Amino acid sequence: MTATPTKTTVSRPAPPAPKPAGGARKRRGSKQSLAVWLFLLPAAVLGLYFKFIPMFEGVRLSLFKVQPFLGDVFVGFENYAKVIGDQRFMEALGHTVFLGVTQTLGALLVGFVLALLLEGQARSLWFLRTAIFLPVVTALAVVGEIWRILYFPTADGPLNSILGWLGLGPLQFLNGTDTALWSIAVVGIWSGAPYNMVIILAGLTGVDRSLYESAGVDGATVWQRLRYITLPALRPSLVIVLTLAAIRSLRSFTEVYVLTGGGPAGSTEVWMTRMYSLGFQRNDIGVASAAAVLLLVVTLLLTVGTQYLAKRKADR
């Protein structure tokens, strides 16, 4: 009996697996990041030269008694002690805090109301939003000059004429020590509310509309829907608005300088105008630099504190 030979099957090696394209992807990502940094480089250079270098120079000058052409003398923290011990600086601090609180809360409330009124997709609303936003893109010096004309203290002034129609006597507005600071606060609210309105409008677009419908079916009132649906959804936007408005109010200068220059009798002098008068009118650069550094520290603490409290509340 003859045995049939069997064919042995030769197993061929499997084709090599394609090499991962990680290297090419990595090279492409590095090229994209390089392009991004090349585009950012001009802005970074300008920011370094015109912002950060002057900032560090201001910190350095705050430790010296600046004497042009005679040489600076190191005095340590003496300039900071002068700022803290200056009565006019303390009065200016009180005026700054007053403007910060009134303008922040007033602009937030007015901006919130405007956002609720102008929410929607109608074409007429886009026109109204643009018209209301104009104060934000207008130079503060121009805004201050317009309001200075409106606040003209005589009976034939624009605002006093309207008050005359209502049977009210002419007000001094910027010329009265009791009314000047309130008048400046109104200007700050008028110019800051449209900016807050835009941020709040952006937050309102993220609110789920079905929640309003469900709340309406359950019989919730307008105030209840506003309190339990709208406000919680707007919390991130409101934190941003409060932070930016507080920083903007602490740095109030242009409107105060244009409207009153710190008068009458120092009743509207704020931290920035006092710092300006020391640095550019009395040439006390060291003390003015110390005041600027203190304002920077307060601004940083306010920003970090606001963000921390908002994050802590959100985690709850």
Side-chain angles (χ1 to χ4, degrees):
M1 195 172 172
T2 308
T4 309
T6 58
K7 294 182 179 181
T8 58
T9 305
V10 179
S11 59
R12 296 181 179 180
K19 294 182 178 180
R25 190 181 299 110
K26 189 174 182 181
R27 286 194 298 270
R28 186 164 58 250
S30 62
K31 289 181 180 179
Q32 290 177 351
S33 62
L34 179 61
V36 170
W37 281 108
L38 286 177
F39 279 108
L40 290 176
L41 185 62
V45 172
L46 291 176
L48 176 67
Y49 187 77
F50 290 104
K51 189 171 227 180
F52 293 102
I53 292 179
M55 183 176 67
F56 289 115
E57 180 66 12
V59 175
R60 186 189 71 84
L61 291 177
S62 68
L63 303 174
F64 287 84
K65 180 180 180 181
V66 181
Q67 302 178 120
F69 309 110
L70 297 177
D72 301 340
V73 179
F74 180 79
V75 294
F77 293 98
E78 182 180 335
N79 291 329
Y80 293 91
K82 288 182 179 180
V83 172
I84 297 174
D86 187 7
Q87 181 64 27
R88 292 187 62 179
F89 257 119
M90 294 301 102
E91 293 176 357
L93 177 61
H95 300 156
T96 304
V97 172
F98 174 83
L99 286 180
V101 173
T102 54
Q103 289 181 353
T104 299
L105 297 180
L108 175 62
L109 180 61
V110 175
F112 182 70
V113 172
L114 289 175
L116 292 178
L117 293 176
L118 299 179
E119 183 190 12
Q121 300 296 328
R123 184 168 298 179
S124 59
L125 293 179
W126 286 100
F127 174 77
L128 289 175
R129 291 172 189 168
T130 304
I132 292 175
F133 192 73
L134 284 178
V136 179
V137 297
T138 306
L140 275 177
V142 177
V143 171
E145 189 64 27
I146 291 173
W147 276 92
R148 193 174 67 84
I149 297 173
L150 294 175
Y151 280 144
F152 202 71
T154 59
D156 56 351
L159 288 181
N160 277 325
S161 298
I162 298 175
L163 293 177
W165 299 340
L166 301 175
L168 302 175
L171 299 179
Q172 291 300 306
F173 292 115
L174 300 175
N175 290 349
T177 56
D178 297 330
T179 58
L181 204 58
W182 284 101
S183 301
I184 294 176
V186 170
V187 177
I189 293 172
W190 180 81
S191 60
Y195 186 80
N196 298 342
M197 176 196 71
V198 172
I199 298 178
I200 295 174
L201 277 173
L204 287 174
T205 59
V207 181
D208 189 359
R209 302 298 166 182
S210 62
L211 296 177
Y212 290 124
E213 298 175 0
S214 302
V217 172
D218 294 336
T221 62
V222 175
W223 167 248
Q224 289 174 332
R225 280 179 279 180
L226 183 66
R227 180 181 178 184
Y228 295 107
I229 298 177
T230 307
L231 290 179
L234 288 177
R235 184 176 297 165
S237 300
L238 294 179
V239 171
I240 295 174
V241 167
L242 282 174
T243 304
L244 295 178
I247 293 173
R248 187 170 58 245
S249 300
L250 288 177
R251 297 169 58 188
S252 297
F253 172 75
T254 306
E255 61 269 36
V256 178
Y257 187 78
V258 172
L259 289 169
T260 62
S267 60
T268 61
E269 190 171 49
V270 294
W271 193 271
M272 291 284 288
T273 56
R274 178 62 178 161
M275 186 173 65
Y276 174 83
S277 63
L278 285 177
F280 295 97
Q281 294 177 357
R282 292 175 48 183
N283 292 322
D284 201 345
I285 304 295
V287 178
S289 299
V293 172
L294 289 175
L295 181 62
L296 173 64
V297 171
V298 171
T299 304
L300 289 176
L301 291 176
L302 178 65
T303 305
V304 174
T306 304
Q307 296 295 328
Y308 173 76
L309 291 176
K311 184 179 179 181
R312 185 176 179 182
K313 193 170 183 180
D315 292 340
R316 289 179 182 178

